[in-house]
């Protein structure tokens, strides 16, 4: 008699087949879905480890979280209690979420660091050396290498209990612009206020940007560092006054970028390792200016001391009016513009902002012994370089970056052909429109037919266009 003669028997057989198929599909489910497969394998490995431990340590406790029983068809089955199963599922879910969000950074702080290392084609072709520039203006908080410094100073202060977010605490700093901009952006992001003291001869767009970032901006007359009204000393005083005030329980924190070790340590921990990785450690010279001195000191310490690149030359790029050039070359802090009756201003006699100083900071001192040489760059040379980079490479940067690039060219020509020189592009030219770039325009460098706008690819042509001595090409 066939099953078709007995509908009831036929239905029972169909259900049996369906049930068996369901079991097989369930067992194969892990192969169809990778996420479930991964979790299955992790659970399986934990089960095997547990069984080995049990075999070596005697009978499993009756209160243990795992028990084993036999199955006729599929062998041993590992059982887990409900609480551990929930914990594992939560961990697996968290891991899956992390994978899905790979590439997403946490807050504006995540946009700091890992900036590109750019080969400047025109300078490389003209010199016959490879000139590379760390594009620090692409840092995502304040658009300069000071993003690294500001973040590290804030994090160290939080660790030491000097700052607590969302309590009204205020970060005070004396700055010519870039550090203040980085602090202002990060202060808002991390639950603080910012109060910035800066000289009144800095470009107006910097203080405007600080204002739009929510910082309190106090522009003060230029004064010597020995004066209590110097912008750095005033910021320190404002922080003390805030903390001592009985009107609020919040605190004032003086960041102290010039002397805080968190400054150069930020470059030891991030900028130096990035440059080493991006060049595979093949660097013949590193060139940078110094304001606080943190960048050149931190990068030099990492490359020369930590990575043992002892043959690499570290060269200071110094603007006119700064005393660091003579300090490095001759051991004496002196600039010709400091002679009595010749000084036009009381800080540094140059239109260049951000680098150049007439005292030794703790940050510069941290790496001064590692600096091999110095190149002095005039305002005219810096202006010519800024225009050259726009015309030949489409790179629009500020005054300190231009000084760095002039010094990089001079350094490159002192090395054998094919050598690698690394420098720093600090910030965008948009912060220097009303002062530095205004001077570029006043020199006639932006007019059609100017020297730097012509097709000049040879070394001598480049030297002439940049206002550098032709004797460099004889080295």
């Amino acid at each position: 008699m066939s099953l078709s003669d007995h509908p009831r028997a036929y239905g029972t057989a169909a259900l049996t087949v369906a049930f068996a198929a369901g079991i097989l599909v369930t067992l194969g489910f892990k192969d169809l879905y990778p996420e479930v497969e991964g979790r299955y394998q992790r659970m399986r490995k934990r089960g095997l480890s547990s069984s080995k431990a049990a075999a070596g340590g005697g009978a499993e406790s009756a209160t243990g979280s795992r028990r084993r029983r036999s199955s006729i068809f599929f062998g041993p089955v590992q059982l887990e209690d409900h609480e551990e199963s929930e914990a594992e599922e939560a961990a697996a879910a968290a891991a899956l979420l992390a994978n899905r969000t790979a590439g997403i950074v946490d807050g504006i702080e995540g946009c700091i660091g890992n900036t590109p290392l750019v080969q400047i084609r025109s300078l490389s072709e003209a010199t016959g050396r490879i000139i590379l520039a760390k594009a620090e203006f692409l840092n995502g908080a304040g658009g300069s290498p000071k993003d690294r410094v500001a973040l590290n100073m804030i994090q160290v202060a939080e660790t030491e209990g000097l700052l607590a977010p969302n309590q009204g605490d205020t970060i005070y700093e004396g700055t010519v612009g870039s550090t203040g901009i980085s602090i202002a952006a990060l202060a808002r992001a991390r639950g603080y206020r910012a109060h910035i003291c800066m000289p009144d001869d800095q470009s107006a767009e910097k203080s405007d940007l600080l204002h739009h970032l929510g910082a309190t901006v106090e522009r003060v007359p230029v004064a010597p560092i020995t004066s209590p009204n110097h912008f750095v000393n005033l910021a320190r005083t404002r922080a003390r006054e805030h903390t001592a005030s009985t009107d609020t329980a919040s605190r004032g924190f003086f960041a102290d970028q010039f002397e805080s070790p968190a400054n150069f340590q930020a470059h030891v921990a991030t900028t130096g390792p990035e440059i080493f990785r991006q060049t595979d450690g093949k660097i013949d010279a590193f060139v940078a200016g110094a304001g606080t001195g943190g960048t050149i000191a931190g990068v030099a310490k990492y490359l020369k001391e930590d990575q043992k690149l002892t043959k690499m030359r570290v060269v200071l790029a110094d603007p006119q009016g700064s005393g660091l050039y003579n300090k490095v070359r001759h051991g004496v802090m002196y600039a010709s513009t400091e002679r009595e009756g010749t000084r036009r201003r009381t800080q540094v006699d140059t239109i260049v902002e951000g680098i150049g100083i007439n005292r030794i900071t703790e940050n510069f001192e941290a790496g001064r012994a590692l600096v091999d040489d110095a190149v002095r760059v005039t305002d005219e040379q810096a202006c010519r370089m800024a225009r050259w980079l726009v015309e030949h490479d489409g790179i629009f940067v500020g005054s300190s970056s231009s000084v760095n690039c002039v010094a990089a060219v001079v350094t490159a020509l002192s090395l054998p052909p094919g050598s690698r020189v690394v420098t720093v592009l600090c910030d965008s030219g948009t912060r220097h429109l009303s002062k530095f770039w205004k001077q570029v325009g006043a020199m006639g460098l932006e007019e059609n037919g100017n020297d730097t706008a012509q097709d000049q690819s040879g070394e001598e042509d480049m030297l002439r266009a940049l206002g550098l001595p032709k004797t460099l090409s004889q080295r």
Side-chain angles (χ1 to χ4, degrees), residues 105 107-116 135-148 151 181-182 184-186 189 213 426 431:
V105 299
I108 196 68
E109 299 96 323
C111 300
I112 298 173
N114 296 309
T115 54
E136 287 294 275
F137 65 91
L138 295 179
N139 276 304
S144 80
K146 299 301 186 180
D147 282 357
R148 303 174 187 266
L151 179 60
I181 292 167
S182 298
L186 290 169
L213 285 170
C426 305
R431 295 184 185 173

Side-chain angles (χ1 to χ4, degrees), residues 316-394:
L316 171 73
D318 211 34
Q320 64 182 54
S322 172
L324 293 178
Y325 171 86
N326 281 321
K327 185 65 175 178
V328 170
R329 281 208 152 193
H330 309 297
V332 178
M333 178 68 74
Y334 175 77
S336 60
T337 51
E338 295 297 297
R339 294 199 309 270
E340 186 176 356
T342 64
R343 179 191 290 172
R344 292 202 309 267
R345 47 171 289 182
T346 53
Q347 188 186 7
V348 177
D349 190 17
T350 177
I351 63 170
V352 174
E353 298 178 352
I355 58 174
I357 196 171
N358 284 315
R359 69 181 192 276
I360 296 293
T361 66
E362 289 294 330
N363 280 285
F364 186 76
E365 186 63 29
R368 183 161 66 96
L370 302 173
V371 179
D372 301 291
D373 201 358
V375 174
R376 172 165 285 158
V377 179
T378 67
D379 285 354
E380 179 182 351
Q381 291 166 347
C383 289
R384 288 181 174 275
M385 175 59 80
R387 194 60 200 165
W388 171 282
L389 292 173
V390 169
E391 292 291 344
H392 291 81
D393 301 278

Side-chain angles (χ1 to χ4, degrees), residues 277-335:
R277 183 177 67 251
Q278 290 167 325
T279 59
D280 292 325
K282 299 174 182 177
I283 313 168
D284 295 294
F286 175 71
V287 180
T292 64
T295 302
I296 192 169
V299 172
K301 284 180 71 67
Y302 180 81
L303 296 178
K304 272 197 166 184
E305 292 186 349
D306 294 358
Q307 294 300 329
K308 311 301 181 186
L309 300 183
T310 54
K311 295 182 179 180
M312 183 195 74
R313 293 181 63 76
V314 176
V315 179
L316 171 73
D318 211 34
Q320 64 182 54
S322 172
L324 293 178
Y325 171 86
N326 281 321
K327 185 65 175 178
V328 170
R329 281 208 152 193
H330 309 297
V332 178
M333 178 68 74
Y334 175 77

Side-chain angles (χ1 to χ4, degrees), residues 38-51 78 80:
R39 189 165 61 181
Y40 168 82
Q41 294 294 348
R42 288 192 296 272
M43 293 172 65
R44 182 173 178 272
K45 290 178 181 178
R46 285 195 296 269
L48 291 174
S49 298
S50 177
S51 63
Q78 192 71 30
E80 299 181 6

Side-chain angles (χ1 to χ4, degrees), residues 383-393 440 444-457 461-462 464-466:
C383 289
R384 288 181 174 275
M385 175 59 80
R387 194 60 200 165
W388 171 282
L389 292 173
V390 169
E391 292 291 344
H392 291 81
D393 301 278
V440 173
L445 298 176
E446 296 178 317
E447 298 174 3
N448 291 332
N450 69 74
D451 286 344
T452 62
Q454 297 174 8
D455 184 17
Q456 301 165 335
S457 57
D461 290 334
M462 177 197 65
R464 179 171 62 85
L466 297 178

